[in-house]
Amino acid sequence: MKKNDKRSGKKAKTDINVNRKRTIKKNMCVLRELFYLRMHGLMVFRLDFLAPFFVDGSLFVIQLLAFGAVYSHVDVIGGWGRGEMILYIGTFSLLNAVNMTVYFFGVNSIPYKVRSGELDLYLSKPVSPLFRLTFENISPGSVPLILMSLCIVAYGICTLRMPLTLPVVISYGFWVLVMTVLYYELEVVIRSVSLYVVSMARLEQIEEAGLELCMKLPGIAFYGVYKVIFYLILPYGIMATLPVQSMIGEMNLQTAAYGIGVVALFTAVTAALWTQGLKHYNSASS
Amino acid sequence: MNDIVIHTENLVKTYRRYKKAEGLWGSIASLWKRNYEEKTAVNRMDLSVREGEFIGLIGPNGAGKTTLIKMLTGIIAPTDGKIDVLGYYPNDLQNEFKKQYAVVMGQKSQLFFELTVNDTLRLFKEIYEISEQEFQRNKHYFVKLFGVEELMDVQVRTLSLGERMKMELIVALLHNPRILFLDEPTIGLDAVAAKQIRAFLKEINEKNGTTILLTSHYMEDIQVLCQRTVVVNHGVKIYDGSTEELFDRYQKNKRIIASFGKPMRKLLLETKDARLAEDTPYKKVYEVPRESARWLLAELMKYEPGDIVVEEEEIGVIAERIYQEGSEYLG
């Protein structure tokens, strides 16, 4: 009897693994097709395809000039010197560039799709609606921003004259990846509110203001209530700070555990808010 | 006996909508105290559909047709009652369930406007996990059936409304769904395109055995396609039965058009319960209860008309009568 239970348990586990593998494979195929469709779509209008390369590049340069103007007269912020700040700006830009390239335009369309009832078409297809929404508006025009951000990171490393070892690179890469997930989750959480209430414009403004502030000030510069806000409630403050801390050797076990904890918390919140939101979805009348 | 693929019992969907008093003070007051009213879009709906049936779902605007389809496809959750579609609770949104149906909404497109249909079909092939062989076979079958070979490589935005609807149907049918939900698929189409779409749907239902649930404001769609019709009004089902019987019951009058070679000022005939709808010297149009039509014809023949035509009542008039009188008449 026990042997049979064990066997059926093992079989159930194998089935789950097989299903999981199948879903991953399917999602990869869907992702590939979404990417092709997006490329086809962008290439229909040449200006649409080429303009982002110039527009996003110009915005990026303007942003850098603003940072330059702010930090040219400041030697130390929260204990970080010029080198660390360059690294911080490069890391934040990198996170933002990945966001713009991969998922921003898709996630940003959620409130519109909810209001217009277009979400109906996503809910009735056998693929995760959030997965499809996330990846259907990939922006290749923002890829140069990733390269430019990496250049700033490299410049920060040179300014700091720090030895670059493989473990440091891996650790930095890991934290950038984890914080990319956090950035994504924050965007989804804010836009999921549209599934519960009709208007949510002000929330997007809070997001913009928080991002703008944290792009200029590293998390270590926040104290008191600001630390609670930007480390826990809207954790934009840790997004670029933790990868930089991991690179410059300022990260301890406690900080790492905190970072992972926040991401885990937001993963749970995002999943719950989205799933429950879909139950609340009433669809626009046609 | 075929299997039941859709089953609902006491299905209810209520919406809460915000009501505000007129004017600025109404807006200010609403900041503190909100008044909501509940609107029942679908009220205690019982429905059973067997596999392979072609069912028409009709009702005036706001009757609850689209809400019912949205609940059956899982897009929205019911407020109360039982719902079972292909053995699933639709709002669980399981992929295995979604693979077995397709929904086409006349007012929402699943096509990418800037791209070609061929490009779009590839995405749906992956979404529905269709093998390359099956994909090619189905694509060729439907492309040939709909006669759209020339249109597969042109931008969707350049297609006419009728052509686009054909493409919507191809996309929906690509994975051989067991149930096809159609929400006003012929809306805005001209008579020729609507007729073509009707012919395709008939073939898909008859040859592939696809269960089809169709909502339409065009009674012709329902009369031509559906063996069974469900009439809803104010969220309540007021009729569920044979389409033929429904039209028979509500098709109360006939139109008799008599044309004359010479001007006829006045016809001295006993019109009884017939109504003179149009009166010109050369043409008289009467609306007469079906049972009195024979008698009126005999009367008219006395005046030796050049031509006489007997028509069924306009379908729009019948629809109006079904909705207006339906609740009381059918109980």
Side-chain angles (χ1 to χ4, degrees):
Chain A
M1 190 81 168
K2 257 187 180 174
K3 228 177 194 176
N4 275 346
D5 281 353
K6 246 185 186 174
R7 229 178 259 164
S8 62
K10 219 175 184 179
K11 194 182 173 296
K13 223 175 180 179
T14 317
D15 286 349
I16 291 168
N17 281 337
V18 169
N19 279 340
R20 202 171 285 161
K21 273 184 193 164
R22 214 180 111 191
T23 307
I24 292 170
K25 194 180 160 201
K26 175 190 165 176
N27 283 348
M28 287 301 112
C29 293
V30 172
L31 182 61
R32 186 191 64 213
E33 286 307 322
L34 286 173
F35 176 72
Y36 287 161
L37 282 180
R38 179 70 175 151
M39 294 301 280
H40 295 324
L42 286 171
M43 286 178 200
V44 171
F45 302 108
R46 279 176 292 184
L47 193 64
D48 271 9
F49 184 68
L50 297 170
F53 289 98
F54 300 108
V55 175
D56 288 9
S58 309
L59 289 174
F60 187 79
V61 171
I62 292 168
Q63 211 175 51
L64 281 189
L65 290 173
F67 287 140
V70 171
Y71 293 112
S72 58
H73 304 293
V74 180
D75 291 329
V76 176
I77 292 178
W80 280 4
R82 197 175 155 73
E84 284 91 349
M85 278 314 295
I86 294 171
L87 200 55
Y88 179 79
I89 291 163
T91 305
F92 213 115
S93 302
L94 179 63
L95 288 167
N96 205 34
V98 172
N99 163 48
M100 295 283 279
T101 308
V102 185
Y103 53 79
F104 173 74
F105 294 102
V107 173
N108 204 34
S109 69
I110 292 173
Y112 167 74
K113 299 230 153 113
V114 171
R115 268 198 309 274
S116 64
E118 263 185 57
L119 193 65
D120 293 3
L121 298 167
Y122 293 77
L123 292 173
S124 55
K125 299 285 175 285
V127 68
S128 156
L130 187 56
F131 177 83
R132 192 174 154 195
L133 282 163
T134 300
F135 296 111
E136 80 173 353
N137 277 312
I138 289 168
S139 169
S142 304
V143 171
L145 300 188
I146 297 179
L147 303 174
M148 285 190 244
S149 304
L150 287 172
C151 290
I152 299 171
V153 171
Y155 177 55
I157 292 167
C158 291
T159 310
L160 283 170
R161 290 183 188 165
M162 57 178 285
L164 204 60
T165 59
L166 189 64
V168 167
V169 174
I170 291 173
S171 164
Y172 178 76
F174 168 76
W175 281 105
V176 166
L177 199 71
V178 169
M179 292 301 137
T180 302
V181 172
L182 180 64
Y183 198 171
Y184 168 73
E185 287 169 347
L186 279 164
E187 285 188 341
V188 175
V189 162
I190 285 171
R191 280 150 190 89
S192 294
V193 175
S194 63
L195 290 163
Y196 300 84
V197 293
V198 178
S199 171
M200 50 152 296
R202 296 290 165 184
L203 271 180
E204 280 172 339
Q205 283 177 9
I206 287 178
E207 179 190 42
E208 275 170 35
L211 275 170
E212 212 166 295
L213 180 71
C214 292
M215 210 176 255
K216 293 187 182 105
L217 280 177
I220 49 161
F222 293 118
Y223 291 98
V225 70
Y226 294 104
K227 193 137 196 165
V228 176
I229 294 171
F230 293 113
Y231 262 57
L232 185 63
I233 299 167
L234 290 169
Y236 299 120
I238 65 168
M239 279 187 338
T241 307
L242 296 196
V244 173
Q245 283 183 318
S246 80
M247 185 171 258
I248 60 177
E250 272 187 15
M251 178 175 275
N252 54 32
L253 204 63
Q254 204 181 341
T255 315
Y258 181 80
I260 297 290
V262 168
V263 177
L265 174 72
F266 270 86
T267 304
V269 169
T270 310
L273 212 63
W274 177 257
T275 317
Q276 283 310 306
L278 291 184
K279 303 270 173 208
H280 270 83
Y281 176 63
N282 267 333
S283 175
S285 122
S286 52
Chain B
M1 194 183 257
N2 293 333
D3 294 335
I4 287 177
V5 285
I6 295 174
H7 183 72
T8 71
E9 261 178 61
N10 286 322
L11 193 68
V12 178
K13 179 69 191 177
T14 51
Y15 290 105
R16 216 165 64 123
R17 57 185 183 190
Y18 157 56
K19 272 185 95 177
K20 181 189 83 66
E22 192 185 334
L24 180 65
W25 285 115
S27 298
I28 293 170
S30 77
L31 289 173
W32 279 271
K33 192 170 181 278
R34 293 243 151 179
N35 290 323
Y36 291 97
E37 67 167 13
E38 279 209 342
K39 186 185 183 263
T40 306
V42 172
N43 197 2
R44 304 198 169 280
M45 178 80 72
D46 293 336
L47 182 70
S48 276
V49 179
R50 294 189 182 285
E51 187 141 41
E53 273 193 290
F54 201 139
I55 293 195
L57 186 61
I58 59 170
N61 285 333
K65 308 178 297 287
T66 304
T67 303
L68 180 62
I69 286 202
K70 283 178 182 172
M71 283 194 282
L72 294 173
T73 51
I75 291 169
I76 55 173
T79 311
D80 200 7
K82 280 186 186 170
I83 182 166
D84 183 304
V85 182
L86 295 162
Y88 293 88
Y89 177 73
N91 196 239
D92 281 344
L93 296 172
Q94 290 184 55
N95 286 343
E96 286 311 312
F97 164 61
K98 292 195 260 184
K99 274 184 194 171
Q100 296 184 57
Y101 77 80
V103 58
V104 174
M105 301 179 192
Q107 297 178 34
K108 282 175 196 157
S109 177
Q110 51 194 329
L111 300 168
F112 293 78
F113 271 45
E114 307 305 342
L115 305 177
T116 67
V117 180
N118 264 333
D119 285 337
T120 310
L121 286 181
R122 283 270 152 202
L123 173 67
F124 286 93
K125 173 193 173 289
E126 299 303 342
I127 286 179
Y128 284 97
E129 296 178 271
I130 307 168
S131 70
E132 185 63 30
Q133 202 184 1
E134 193 186 347
F135 171 71
Q136 292 299 343
R137 193 179 57 232
N138 286 355
K139 189 175 114 176
H140 286 131
Y141 170 72
F142 290 116
V143 166
K144 211 174 153 198
L145 176 70
F146 287 76
V148 289
E149 293 91 339
E150 304 295 315
L151 303 173
M152 298 304 286
D153 287 317
V154 301
Q155 263 182 305
V156 170
R157 69 203 298 266
T158 63
L159 300 175
S160 70
L161 196 59
E163 289 166 344
R164 218 175 67 213
M165 186 43 69
K166 289 178 193 170
M167 298 306 184
E168 295 280 357
L169 286 169
I170 293 177
V171 169
L173 294 164
L174 196 66
H175 63 286
N176 289 328
R178 284 175 68 189
I179 307 178
L180 177 61
F181 296 96
L182 297 166
D183 192 13
E184 298 181 32
T186 52
I187 194 161
L189 299 188
D190 62 41
V192 179
K195 198 176 167 191
Q196 282 178 338
I197 298 283
R198 281 197 286 268
F200 302 140
L201 293 176
K202 206 172 175 70
E203 178 159 346
I204 288 153
N205 172 248
E206 284 169 1
K207 282 199 175 164
N208 301 3
T210 310
T211 308
I212 301 180
L213 204 137
L214 164 81
T215 79
S216 180
H217 281 297
Y218 303 122
M219 286 298 189
E220 213 181 328
D221 289 349
I222 306 296
Q223 204 175 21
V224 171
L225 293 170
C226 310
Q227 304 100 15
R228 180 179 155 200
T229 298
V230 174
V231 185
V232 285
N233 202 0
H234 303 298
V236 180
K237 185 169 84 173
I238 56 174
Y239 178 84
D240 184 352
S242 147
T243 306
E244 207 182 325
E245 200 180 302
L246 176 78
F247 280 87
D248 217 36
R249 195 176 285 184
Y250 283 96
Q251 210 151 24
K252 291 180 176 172
N253 300 324
K254 288 204 183 272
R255 272 167 76 86
I256 298 178
I257 305 157
S259 308
F260 301 92
K262 55 184 181 191
M264 304 292 284
R265 292 282 165 223
K266 207 169 182 185
L267 300 187
L268 292 168
L269 42 82
E270 260 189 68
T271 49
K272 273 191 182 172
D273 41 6
R275 188 177 75 85
L276 186 61
E278 201 182 319
D279 186 8
T280 60
Y282 291 94
K283 191 176 154 193
K284 313 281 174 199
V285 180
Y286 289 93
E287 268 171 20
V288 60
R290 283 157 71 190
E291 58 278 10
S292 309
R294 247 167 89 180
W295 166 83
L296 184 68
L297 270 174
E299 282 285 300
L300 279 169
M301 291 309 280
K302 290 179 191 167
Y303 291 88
E304 296 173 352
D307 189 18
I308 197 154
V309 178
V310 181
E311 280 181 350
E312 293 293 349
E313 210 171 11
E314 267 181 41
I315 216 151
V317 177
I318 304 167
E320 210 179 314
R321 195 173 296 134
I322 291 172
Y323 301 152
Q324 276 178 359
E325 299 173 17
S327 307
E328 303 146 34
Y329 189 88
L330 295 158

